[in-house]
Amino acid sequence: MELRAIVLIAGIVFCSHVSAQTPEWIIQPNICVAQRVGDECKLTFRIETQNMPTELLCLFLDGQLLSCSQQAYFYKKISITIKQNVLIELKNKAQKTILSKKLLIKYLEPHEHRRRIRPPWSLF
Amino acid sequence: MYTAFFRLLIILCMFVSRTILACSEDGTCIEKSSWQLGFAFGVGVKTNPLVDGDNIPLVILPDIAWYAEKAYFDNGELGYQWLSQPTFAFETFLQLDRESAFFSFLHPANILVSTENAASHSTNVSALPDLSVSPDENIQNNQRSLSIDDIVSRKWAINGGIRGHYFLSIGEWQLTLQQDISNIHQGQQVGLEYSHRWLWHDFRLGLRVGTDWKSADLIDYYFGVSQRDTSLSRFYFEGKSGWQTYMSINAQKPINENWSWLANIGYRRLPNSLLSSPLIDQNNIRNVFLGVAYRF
């Protein structure tokens, strides 16, 4: 009985320890607002990280290198210009993705529509 | 047939609210620089006015459209819209002459279901004309008829056209001019159409009423009979210009985001000048379709 309790407690402590070591990040803001479809959108965001491995980690935007930092400590804000949703990834030297997140673009003006000239499903 | 249509129209006007449809609320609008694809599955038929022409079963109706900023392709029509304003619009376009659809089952107009139809035809030269009766009686009695399998095939002409739109809050007027630019028959046609749309709960209803004037060159090329077709002079017929009036009603009820119920009914009357052609068996074309539509 005592042995079971010890194993259980040890398991909980181990799991919580492992959980605490999982790399995490917060990217804010992660949505860029443009006027209309096709417009470029400038997004300036900051990255807060936790539990990063002690190695050089690099940021990639849709596969393009943005910046590198020891232990992913990006103390300056990062500015990018996008025309569509993009994927930002944090990779280590071995190109293994540690974290990733999609940065979204939204539009103030909805998609432009045109009237169709011929009515669909019309028999004449 | 006309009486029934007008009765239905009056009923619609009485019971259907005059809700104005915003562009994005129904399938008559399309996002710029995008495709709109759809298929309708169901049961229906298009009648064939030609002698011995089989009616066309309507089972699958495709809907294919692409619209850019100005250019567009819509169910067989390739065009460029020069002016697009809330009240007016104006475009030029190219399309296959839909009259030739009568003579070829594989004509795009029979696949993209925008207008009159074509069909296969059996070979038959029937009895001699009885000149003592009127053309209408001739048609009813199926006399002096000539199968299109016994005549020279009619080529597919390409029309160049100009179309103007005048938009009202609850309807639209269209004026269309077309000219054969492929030098097949060198004919012209002019169309005037009024269309009206309603939104009643989630029912989308559309009504189109119009008339097309077709030149003598056009009608004579397709429906005239001369030495090019037969040596039997009693079948000779010279086409004259005339008016085709039509009316159609379209109803759609969404089932979910992609599927909707679809019903169509249409009636087109052929010009009186055409009724004595030995190629013509009926003085009208009727369409009816009931099914479900899927929008990708």
Side-chain angles (χ1 to χ4, degrees):
Chain A
M1 189 67 183
E2 283 181 2
L3 182 64
R4 280 186 187 171
I6 290 168
V7 169
L8 183 64
I9 291 166
I12 292 170
V13 170
F14 178 75
C15 288
S16 63
H17 182 72
V18 168
S19 167
Q21 291 303 310
T22 304
E24 293 175 359
W25 67 353
I26 298 171
I27 299 177
Q28 279 190 324
N30 55 34
I31 296 175
C32 192
V33 180
Q35 189 67 27
R36 62 180 67 85
V37 178
D39 284 358
E40 288 190 335
C41 189
K42 187 176 180 184
L43 179 65
T44 302
F45 58 89
R46 62 185 170 79
I47 299 176
E48 290 180 10
T49 58
Q50 285 183 346
N51 309 320
M52 290 294 162
T54 54
E55 59 181 323
L56 187 69
L57 299 171
C58 293
L59 277 178
F60 289 85
L61 191 73
D62 273 353
Q64 297 290 313
L65 179 64
L66 266 186
S67 177
C68 292
S69 171
Q70 194 68 31
Q71 218 173 341
Y73 179 62
F74 300 100
Y75 64 94
K76 282 186 179 175
K77 289 184 176 178
I78 298 170
S79 288
I80 58 172
T81 301
I82 60 176
K83 288 182 81 171
Q84 59 194 18
N85 296 340
V86 291
L87 182 69
I88 188 163
E89 295 172 291
L90 187 67
K91 295 182 178 180
N92 62 14
K93 206 170 180 179
Q95 292 295 302
K96 181 188 173 191
T97 301
I98 309 296
L99 291 166
S100 67
K101 188 173 183 63
K102 189 166 266 188
L103 303 179
L104 305 176
I105 185 165
K106 302 284 184 187
Y107 304 100
L108 291 174
E109 295 176 10
H111 290 274
E112 284 190 83
H113 285 79
R114 286 181 64 182
R115 287 189 186 94
R116 275 190 63 173
I117 288 163
R118 304 177 68 85
W121 317 121
S122 170
L123 294 171
F124 281 109
Chain B
M1 191 70 182
Y2 269 126
T3 311
F5 263 117
F6 280 115
R7 282 178 185 160
L8 190 55
L9 177 61
I10 291 166
I11 292 168
L12 281 172
C13 291
M14 288 172 64
F15 291 102
V16 175
S17 68
R18 289 161 59 102
T19 307
I20 300 168
L21 300 179
C23 195
S24 58
E25 286 178 357
D26 63 9
T28 59
C29 284
I30 183 170
E31 195 179 308
K32 282 184 180 176
S33 304
S34 71
W35 286 87
Q36 206 167 61
L37 302 173
F39 285 93
F41 312 90
V43 291
V45 68
K46 296 194 293 186
T47 62
N48 191 321
L50 295 172
V51 173
D52 297 330
D54 296 329
N55 292 335
I56 308 288
L58 299 175
V59 181
I60 299 177
L61 314 181
D63 179 45
I64 304 167
W66 165 80
Y67 280 73
E69 184 71 24
K70 299 279 188 185
Y72 68 92
F73 173 83
D74 198 332
N75 287 325
E77 181 177 308
L78 183 66
Y80 189 91
Q81 194 156 49
W82 300 90
L83 176 71
S84 179
Q85 292 187 344
T87 313
F88 296 101
F90 161 72
E91 70 260 0
T92 51
F93 62 88
L94 295 174
Q95 67 172 214
L96 285 175
D97 191 327
R98 297 174 183 281
E99 215 70 45
S100 54
F102 286 104
F103 299 86
S104 171
F105 184 78
L106 293 177
H107 192 285
N110 296 326
I111 300 166
L112 296 171
V113 193
S114 317
T115 184
E116 309 88 317
N117 47 69
S120 59
H121 307 271
S122 62
T123 303
N124 177 37
V125 178
S126 65
L128 298 177
D130 183 353
L131 299 177
S132 63
V133 295
S134 71
D136 278 342
E137 289 168 325
N138 266 338
I139 289 168
Q140 288 166 10
N141 297 332
N142 197 25
Q143 293 182 1
R144 204 179 73 120
S145 59
L146 187 61
S147 169
I148 63 163
D149 286 338
D150 296 326
I151 62 172
V152 171
S153 64
R154 277 25 175 186
K155 294 177 182 172
W156 296 6
I158 299 173
N159 286 345
I162 303 171
R163 186 186 292 116
H165 306 255
Y166 177 63
F167 302 107
L168 305 168
S169 59
I170 50 175
E172 175 190 342
W173 286 97
Q174 279 187 20
L175 180 64
T176 306
L177 292 86
Q178 293 184 67
Q179 163 76 46
D180 167 33
I181 59 168
S182 55
N183 211 26
I184 298 294
H185 54 69
Q186 301 175 323
Q188 304 86 28
Q189 53 183 300
V190 180
L192 180 66
E193 178 186 294
Y194 176 73
S195 60
H196 201 100
R197 290 183 294 139
W198 295 272
L199 183 63
W200 183 51
H201 300 291
D202 58 348
F203 268 101
R204 297 196 292 257
L205 299 167
L207 168 76
R208 296 168 70 202
V209 183
T211 184
D212 291 328
W213 175 86
K214 300 192 176 180
S215 70
D217 288 335
L218 188 155
I219 288 183
D220 188 52
Y221 176 76
Y222 290 109
F223 304 105
V225 178
S226 64
Q227 283 182 321
R228 64 174 172 165
D229 298 308
T230 177
S231 57
L232 301 173
S233 60
R234 61 180 175 272
F235 289 109
Y236 290 174
F237 170 78
E238 185 179 355
K240 294 174 184 167
S241 63
W243 295 87
Q244 293 184 10
T245 50
Y246 61 91
M247 179 182 285
S248 72
I249 295 171
N250 173 292
Q252 261 187 287
K253 177 180 168 55
I255 300 170
N256 56 37
E257 190 180 344
N258 298 105
W259 291 93
S260 60
W261 292 105
L262 175 67
N264 266 321
I265 186 168
Y267 177 86
R268 177 180 286 258
R269 194 175 197 286
L270 300 180
N272 289 330
S273 60
L274 199 56
L275 301 185
S276 46
S277 167
L279 301 175
I280 293 294
D281 191 29
Q282 299 170 25
N283 67 355
N284 61 69
I285 304 160
R286 287 157 286 161
N287 300 284
V288 63
F289 179 81
L290 181 65
V292 289
Y294 182 82
R295 175 77 64 202
F296 292 95

